[in-house]
């Protein structure tokens, strides 16, 4: 039976996870086994449950209980379900709930880089991409367009932050991923060396006079390829580009110099997917 609690006091400590904890506190870097993340909307929550993630509690509009979230509640067993009307919940969270449902879930213990890349022919590497919308969109493209795994540098936005999870439409739960290194001193080296030791050729997506076109047949012919994407604005760091096997660009028209990193990722993943 669901454990439904009507919210009457916004200061209840059980609600901290939805409103008063920072992203770093949710993540609990020092004690990852205690970390949580927030999944938003029934579709995304379903995807997380399908992938084996463990729910901790639910927060939803009252009308959702017998509506779109009924199936979610049934799947989650006896965890607490906190509810109130939309206006009160917006006052608690500071934003309108997408589809009226949030779920706090346990963070997984992430596998190592070598485990994530085992058997992979194409991996995406995200270097210091800080916008959660871009990270979520890149994960969605990676899952849809032929990437076997995603690696995230330590300074990148957390793929399990609420907005990234929502924008990814749950694909962050479907494609294998992990952080490549635990701090910035481990990227680009020895991170690039780890990829190359596993047999990957590395392709830096960057604007450069020495770049090859994304449709260069040598890229498609590579048995294993890591596609490396850089942060918004500045792109990849020069020492990252220097350490890669290829520098790759997408030919532009009408005087446009580049694409947003999320749009560029979709083009790159489709063109460079394993044949």
């Amino acid at each position: 039976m669901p454990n439904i609690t009507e919210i009457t006091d916004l200061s209840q400590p059980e609600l901290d996870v939805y409103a008063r904890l920072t992203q770093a506190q949710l993540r609990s870097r020092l004690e990852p086994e205690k970390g949580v993340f927030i999944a938003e909307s029934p579709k995304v929550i379903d995807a997380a449950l399908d992938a084996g993630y463990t729910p901790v509690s639910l927060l939803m509009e009252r009308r959702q209980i017998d509506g779109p979230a009924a199936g979610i509640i049934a799947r989650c067993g006896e965890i607490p379900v906190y509810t109130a009307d939309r206006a009160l919940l917006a006052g608690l969270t500071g934003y309108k709930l997408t589809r009226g449902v949030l779920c706090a879930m346990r963070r997984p213990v992430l596998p190592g880089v070598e485990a994530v890349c085992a058997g992979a022919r194409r991996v995406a590497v995200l270097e210091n991409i800080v916008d959660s919308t871009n990270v979520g969109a890149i994960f969605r493209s990676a899952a849809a367009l032929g990437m076997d795994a995603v690696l995230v540098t330590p300074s990148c936005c957390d793929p399990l932050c609420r907005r990234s999870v929502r924008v990814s439409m749950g694909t962050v739960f479907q494609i294998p991923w992990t952080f490549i290194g635990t701090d910035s001193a481990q990227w680009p080296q020895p991170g690039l060396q780890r990829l190359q030791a596993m047999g990957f050729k590395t392709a830096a997506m960057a604007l450069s006079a020495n770049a090859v076109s994304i449709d260069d047949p040598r890229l498609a012919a590579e048995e294993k390829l890591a596609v490396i994407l850089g942060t918004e604005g500045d792109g990849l760091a020069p020492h990252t580009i220097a350490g890669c096997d290829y520098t790759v660009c997408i030919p532009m028209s009408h005087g446009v110099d580049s694409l947003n990193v999320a749009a560029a990722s979709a083009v790159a993943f489709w063109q460079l997917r394993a044949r």
Side-chain angles (χ1 to χ4, degrees), residues 67-232:
I72 296 291
I73 294 172
R75 293 189 67 182
C76 288
E78 297 182 359
I79 66 170
V81 179
Y82 301 106
T83 185
D85 60 34
R86 172 174 287 203
L88 185 63
L89 292 182
L92 171 67
T93 62
Y95 52 86
K96 292 182 179 179
L97 275 64
T98 299
R99 305 297 183 186
V101 185
L102 298 177
C103 183
M105 309 191 94
R106 290 288 177 205
R107 293 186 68 93
V109 176
L110 293 174
V113 171
E114 285 73 17
V116 164
C117 292
R121 294 185 60 197
R122 294 293 186 269
V123 300
V125 183
L126 313 189
E127 179 184 275
N128 306 340
I129 297 176
V130 297
D131 185 275
S132 56
T133 298
N134 283 335
V135 170
I138 292 169
F139 264 83
R140 189 173 184 182
S141 292
L145 300 175
M147 295 295 105
D148 300 310
V150 178
L151 302 176
V152 180
T153 66
S155 298
C156 199
C157 169
D158 178 15
L160 290 181
C161 77
R162 181 186 64 86
R163 186 167 180 79
S164 173
V165 169
R166 180 166 67 83
V167 173
S168 83
M169 291 302 293
T171 54
V172 69
F173 309 127
Q174 297 168 353
I175 187 167
W177 71 274
T178 196
F179 288 96
I180 182 162
T182 56
D183 59 57
S184 58
Q186 295 178 307
W187 181 265
Q189 299 296 357
L192 288 173
Q193 292 172 341
R194 292 176 74 180
L195 289 168
Q196 291 158 348
M198 289 184 285
F200 286 95
K201 295 294 186 180
T202 50
M205 299 298 301
L207 300 175
S208 169
N210 299 320
V212 300
S213 174
I214 196 170
D215 58 3
D216 189 303
R218 291 174 294 174
L219 298 169
E222 293 290 359
E223 179 63 23
K224 300 173 75 173
L225 190 67
V227 182
I228 304 174
L229 298 150
T231 187
E232 301 86 352

